[in-house]
Structure formats: C-alpha cells, structure tokens
Amino acid sequence: MSAPQYVMAIDQGTTSTRAILFDHDGAIVSTGQLEHEQIFPRAGWVEHDPQEIWRNTREVIGQALSRAEVTRHEIAAVGVTNQRETTVVWDRHSGKPVYNAIVWQDTRTQKICDRLEGDEGPEKYKERVGLPLATYFSGPKVAWILENVEGAREAAERGDLLFGTTDTWVIWNLTGGVDSGVHVTDVTNASRTMLMNIDTLDWNEDICRDMGIPMSMLPRIASSSEVVGHAAGHQLLRQAPITGILGDQQAATFGQACFEVGQAKNTYGTGNFVLINTGEELVRSDNGLLTTVCYRIGDEKPVYALEGSVAVTGSLVQWVRDNLNLISSAPEIEELAREVEDNGGVYLVPAFSGLFAPHWDSTARGTMVGLTRYVTKHHIARAVLEATAYQSREVVDAMNADSGVDLTELKVDGGMVMNETLMQFQADLLRVPVVRPKVIETTALGAAYAAGLAVGFWESTEDVVANWQEDRRWEPTMDEEKAERLLRLWKKAVDRAREWIDEDVEALEA
C-alpha cells in the first residue's frame, strides 16, 4: 500500500462545519461543508445544537472523501480547528448535551462576571490567565449551565458531566464517544476558557472553585501537534490518527506561516481576529488586547501571541442578509457598496455582543449614526464593510502600542478577503500593505499543518513557510489626512454606542 497522500482538517466554525483535504503542497483537494442553525432564544443569547454539529461533522467528512475519491487509508492524519470559547457540557454516560452550546458571542453571563469581579474589577484573573473577566470566555458559560440547568450541578459533582469547546466535543465523539472517547483539548483552546494558567499551561483550581466548576469536567490539555487519539472503528475515518488541535484564530496564524516574532495576521470571518506572534515571551497588554497561546508543537516550548478580538464583522453582513433582507447573498454587499463613492456620512457600530478589543464594553450595543434623507441602501452597505476595517484599525493601533513596533504589512485570510473594496479600504486605513495568500482557507490549513507535522507528513515549519504563496497585495492610496479624519468620526460613533445597557434596557429584554 502506498504512503498516505493527504491530511484532513475538520473546521468546526461558528456558522458551518467543513472537512477539507490538503495535499503535501498545502493545496485544497476537496471540501465538504454544511451550515448549522443559529439559535437566538433571547436578546444577547446565541446558541448552537451540539448534536447537529456532530451530525454535520460526520456528513462533511463523507463529502470530502467521496468528492476526492479518497479512502481513509490515504489519510495520513486529521487536524481539528474550531470556534473558540463556545461551550458544550454533556453527560459522559449518555453522550447527550445537558443544554445547547453557548456560543462565544453570547452575553448572558454578564451578571456572573460581575459577581466574580467583586471589588477587584475585570482584571481579577488576568495575571494568571491573560484574559479579562468577560462574557466572551468559556468559564462563566460553564458556570451558567451548572447554575441554571436543572440537575446539572448535582450531575457535575458526581463526576457525570464533561465540558469542552467544540474541538473537544468533536474529538470525543470521533474517537468513540461513550465508548472510550478521548476527552482532550489543546493549549490554544484551553487558553480561552479563563481556567488555564497562561504560564504553566495547566488548569487553575482556584478559579475553577470560584466559578463552581468541578475539575472532573475538564479535558486533558495537549499540545497543538501530537497524537491525541484515533478515529473509532465505526467512523468513516476508522483508525486515522487525530494529531492536531488549534483554536481557529491560532490555526489561521499557523496556516499563514507566522512563525517569527512580530509576524501578524488578520482573519475576516464571523468576527475579526488579529494575532501577532510574540515568541516564547508572554507579553501582557496595556491596551485592551488578550495574551493567548499561539501554538505548541509537541514537547517544544509554547509560542505566545497578543490578540485583538472583534466580535462582529462577517456576521454583520449575515445580519444584513438574513434580518434586513437588503441582500440575498453575502457577495452582493460589495456590489451595493461600489455604487457610491463613500458612506454618505453613515457609521454602523455592530456592538451586537458589546464591544470586544480594545474597548471591552459589555454595555455597548449596535448603533447607526449620521443618517439623513440622502442616505440609501448603498451607503449602508458601504458602512457595513467599513465597520470591519475600522475595528481592525483600532486593534492594530493597540498592537503597535503594546509591541512598541509598528506593523509593516498585514497578512489577511477568511471569507471576506475576496471583497476587494474592503481590502483596499483596510490598506488605506492601516497605511500599510494588506496581503492575501493563494490559499485563503488558512484556518483549516493551519490545523492540517499541525496534524501533518506530528506524523512527519511535513518535516518542519520550514515546509509550511515554503508552501505559503502571495496572491494579491493592496497598497494604501487614500490621503492620510482623510483616513485619519474618517477614523476620528468612527471613534465618535463608537462613543455613541457605549454604555447603552442599563436597568431599563434589561427590564425590556427580560
């Protein structure tokens, strides 16, 4: 039998699950993809059905294999990447979730975060975990489930419940589920829970105790590139080794070959996420960024990153499509925006889940300002695209301040980077080149690389660097004074969005 020719990446994202086969050159061979339902039970609540996600995962694996006419024998390794922070709690005996997955965008845990802060404020745990107390992260979501789902607390204390982000949920099921499924996550996902010590890479018992989370619920923390298990015998990938796990944004950083200190990427997906590699140095942010684990290969020392997280960018386009019905497909947003030369004075701040980096204001809500009778749907479409670029500029400014070194170019990836109007505006705002690679599915590619490195399919990260190829580059063309004036107006709009939530709003949303 010939040597395996491919690596499969399972990309369990916020809106869909994909399985992608890559060859040794890092090229896409085939893809399977299915969207899952976005569940909004109340204002600020966002949920997914974990069982739907697992059903879709099995199906997209089959799609990718059949479309490439490939069998499991040709798969060298499987890598998993995932929407981070999204929280699943399930019964280890039945395999059934006790509640829907609570998505990273969900804001229901604000009161739990407030309670945990006490007199110490939102940075209470930041020295230990690299993160502020915020609804974004997994720990408070687990606490909410244990406090609000009937019988969950007692079951957890008996040792019957397991917790995981969606990488853990997929891998547990893929490796056998109730029949000896492997309960594991990696350092990048664990670093987003608010439960892992950022320096020692182990679970923090004191914080778990504060949140009322039994240690028995927590998965083993592995590196990002090691053999963690094998697909169960009844799965299509039977006995294929699962050897890579990376949270989606760290996976994109890996796929963009950002292995040198100071290299950065921005992923334009459901949200936007800028990561800059800080090497083995654990850098604390003074400007609203997160300290996170970038990746860890085998037993090597962990590599860290500073991250700027923006909650709503691609999902704003989805909102315009699904809620406002201004467009019927996402690419139409650029067609509308191109009909006008500017935004007509309109600024749209999409603080649907509050404001993430660098503001961290959970009381903010979405705002559109500057409306006049002159404004058309074309101006609103342009304001939607520009909101993505403005939020990314704010994060890059914070990153420059923390690192002390100005960014010289920005590697970009994700679905929105095919929008050339947005990419040009981003370059104009940042005043540096914006660079798109030939393979923009860098999240899945990063998971594939991590998995392949663990089994020798690729020998070293040098192979990853050699595979990376530039596709398109945008240089700044806008007058700098104009760009800065636009940014000042954006910040004025952000001020209007802040501190919206109060007792009156909460009473109406209840």
Side-chain angles (χ1 to χ4, degrees):
M1 188 178 295
S2 60
Q5 300 296 308
Y6 310 105
V7 172
M8 175 174 282
I10 297 171
D11 181 357
Q12 201 300 291
T14 305
T15 59
S16 71
T17 304
R18 294 181 296 178
I20 303 181
L21 279 178
F22 293 94
D23 64 18
H24 196 270
D25 293 331
I28 293 174
V29 177
S30 68
T31 301
Q33 180 171 2
L34 286 171
E35 289 192 1
H36 54 264
E37 183 184 3
Q38 305 297 306
I39 303 167
F40 306 103
R42 287 173 53 179
W45 292 29
V46 189
E47 299 177 0
H48 295 155
D49 178 354
Q51 292 179 304
E52 181 189 11
I53 285 174
W54 172 233
R55 288 195 300 271
N56 287 357
T57 300
R58 297 198 305 272
E59 188 167 343
V60 297
I61 289 170
Q63 289 175 354
L65 291 173
S66 63
R67 288 168 183 171
E69 298 184 349
V70 165
T71 71
R72 63 181 175 85
H73 300 291
E74 296 169 84
I75 307 299
V78 179
V80 176
T81 183
N82 57 290
Q83 51 168 323
R84 306 168 304 170
E85 300 96 19
T86 294
T87 298
V88 187
V89 174
W90 69 96
D91 187 297
R92 69 166 73 235
H93 306 296
S94 70
K96 294 182 179 179
V98 301
Y99 190 79
N100 275 339
I102 301 181
V103 179
W104 57 274
Q105 302 154 313
D106 190 286
T107 60
R108 78 184 69 185
T109 57
Q110 186 57 54
K111 282 186 168 59
I112 292 175
C113 292
D114 293 342
R115 184 181 75 212
L116 289 166
E117 282 182 20
D119 297 328
E120 298 175 70
E123 299 200 349
K124 178 178 181 178
Y125 302 128
K126 194 171 183 182
E127 185 69 23
R128 284 176 277 178
V129 302
L131 313 171
L133 261 164
T135 60
Y136 182 20
F137 306 111
S138 307
K141 300 181 194 296
V142 181
W144 188 93
I145 290 173
L146 296 184
E147 292 175 15
N148 290 276
V149 175
E150 185 177 355
R153 168 74 63 199
E154 294 76 15
E157 290 176 353
R158 287 195 306 268
D160 291 340
L161 299 189
L162 300 177
F163 150 69
T165 41
T166 59
D167 59 308
T168 302
W169 169 248
V170 165
I171 292 170
W172 186 80
N173 281 288
L174 189 58
T175 55
V178 296
D179 185 16
S180 303
V182 177
H183 189 217
V184 67
T185 190
D186 87 303
V187 288
T188 66
N189 281 295
S191 74
R192 314 297 294 192
T193 61
M194 271 180 68
L195 303 175
M196 188 191 81
N197 296 306
I198 195 71
D199 49 355
T200 59
L201 308 184
D202 54 8
W203 299 119
N204 187 294
E205 291 190 35
D206 291 339
I207 298 175
C208 288
R209 189 179 304 112
D210 287 353
M211 296 190 188
I213 301 171
M215 299 292 288
S216 60
M217 295 181 70
L218 305 180
R220 178 178 78 85
I221 302 174
S223 82
S224 309
S225 181
E226 66 171 81
V227 179
V228 298
H230 293 78
H234 61 281
Q235 301 291 339
L236 282 174
L237 291 172
R238 179 183 179 188
Q239 296 307 311
I242 301 162
T243 58
I245 313 173
L246 285 161
D248 53 9
Q249 303 313 317
Q250 288 92 336
T253 308
F254 209 90
Q256 286 273 35
C258 294
F259 299 124
E260 300 296 326
V261 174
Q263 291 184 325
K265 69 88 199 176
N266 191 11
T267 296
Y268 295 73
T270 301
N272 266 36
F273 303 87
V274 185
L275 271 76
I276 185 168
N277 185 326
T278 63
E280 295 174 7
E281 182 183 1
L282 207 162
V283 177
R284 311 282 183 179
S285 174
D286 296 320
N287 295 278
L289 303 181
L290 307 175
T291 301
T292 196
V293 180
C294 194
Y295 60 87
R296 187 184 188 192
I297 299 174
D299 294 329
E300 296 178 11
K301 290 183 177 180
V303 173
Y304 292 96
L306 281 172
E307 175 176 334
S309 310
V310 176
V312 179
T313 54
S315 57
L316 179 59
V317 177
Q318 190 177 44
W319 176 76
V320 170
R321 182 193 68 190
D322 297 342
N323 292 46
L324 301 188
N325 295 313
L326 283 182
I327 55 176
S328 57
S329 65
E332 288 179 30
I333 199 81
E334 184 176 18
E335 296 172 19
L336 281 180
R338 278 181 166 172
E339 293 294 318
V340 289
E341 294 182 359
D342 56 37
N343 63 16
V346 175
Y347 292 82
L348 203 166
V349 182
F352 298 162
S353 302
L355 289 167
F356 283 18
H359 306 286
W360 296 108
D361 182 357
S362 62
T363 69
R365 283 297 179 268
T367 306
M368 185 156 54
V369 300
L371 290 173
T372 64
R373 284 290 299 272
Y374 169 72
V375 170
T376 68
K377 63 181 179 180
H378 305 285
H379 297 108
I380 292 172
R382 195 168 188 96
V384 166
L385 295 183
E386 291 183 355
T388 296
Y390 285 125
Q391 291 179 100
S392 295
R393 164 66 191 264
E394 287 186 308
V395 166
V396 169
D397 284 349
M399 206 160 270
N400 289 342
D402 273 333
S403 67
V405 179
D406 288 351
L407 194 72
T408 56
E409 70 174 24
L410 184 67
K411 290 182 175 180
V412 299
D413 55 71
M416 292 183 80
V417 301
M418 300 310 292
N419 189 313
E420 300 197 357
T421 301
L422 171 59
M423 292 297 99
Q424 183 59 59
F425 189 71
Q426 188 71 87
D428 289 339
L429 273 187
L430 291 177
R431 316 307 303 163
V432 298
V434 168
V435 184
R436 182 177 71 195
K438 284 194 173 179
V439 177
I440 65 169
E441 299 294 352
T442 53
T443 299
L445 181 58
Y449 280 142
L453 285 168
V455 296
F457 188 80
W458 290 287
E459 291 185 9
S460 71
T461 55
E462 292 178 5
D463 291 343
V464 179
V465 174
N467 278 352
W468 190 92
Q469 296 181 62
E470 180 178 319
D471 175 53
R472 176 78 192 272
R473 175 179 294 255
W474 289 268
E475 299 281 350
T477 59
M478 183 183 290
D479 175 73
E480 185 171 0
E481 183 179 344
K482 179 181 178 181
E484 293 302 314
R485 181 179 295 110
L486 291 173
L487 185 66
R488 288 195 297 272
L489 288 168
W490 163 260
K491 290 181 176 179
K492 192 175 175 182
V494 169
D495 286 341
R496 302 295 191 272
R498 302 190 69 167
E499 299 180 1
W500 174 254
I501 298 295
D502 58 16
E503 291 181 359
D504 289 333
V505 176
E506 288 178 340
L508 289 171
E509 290 183 349

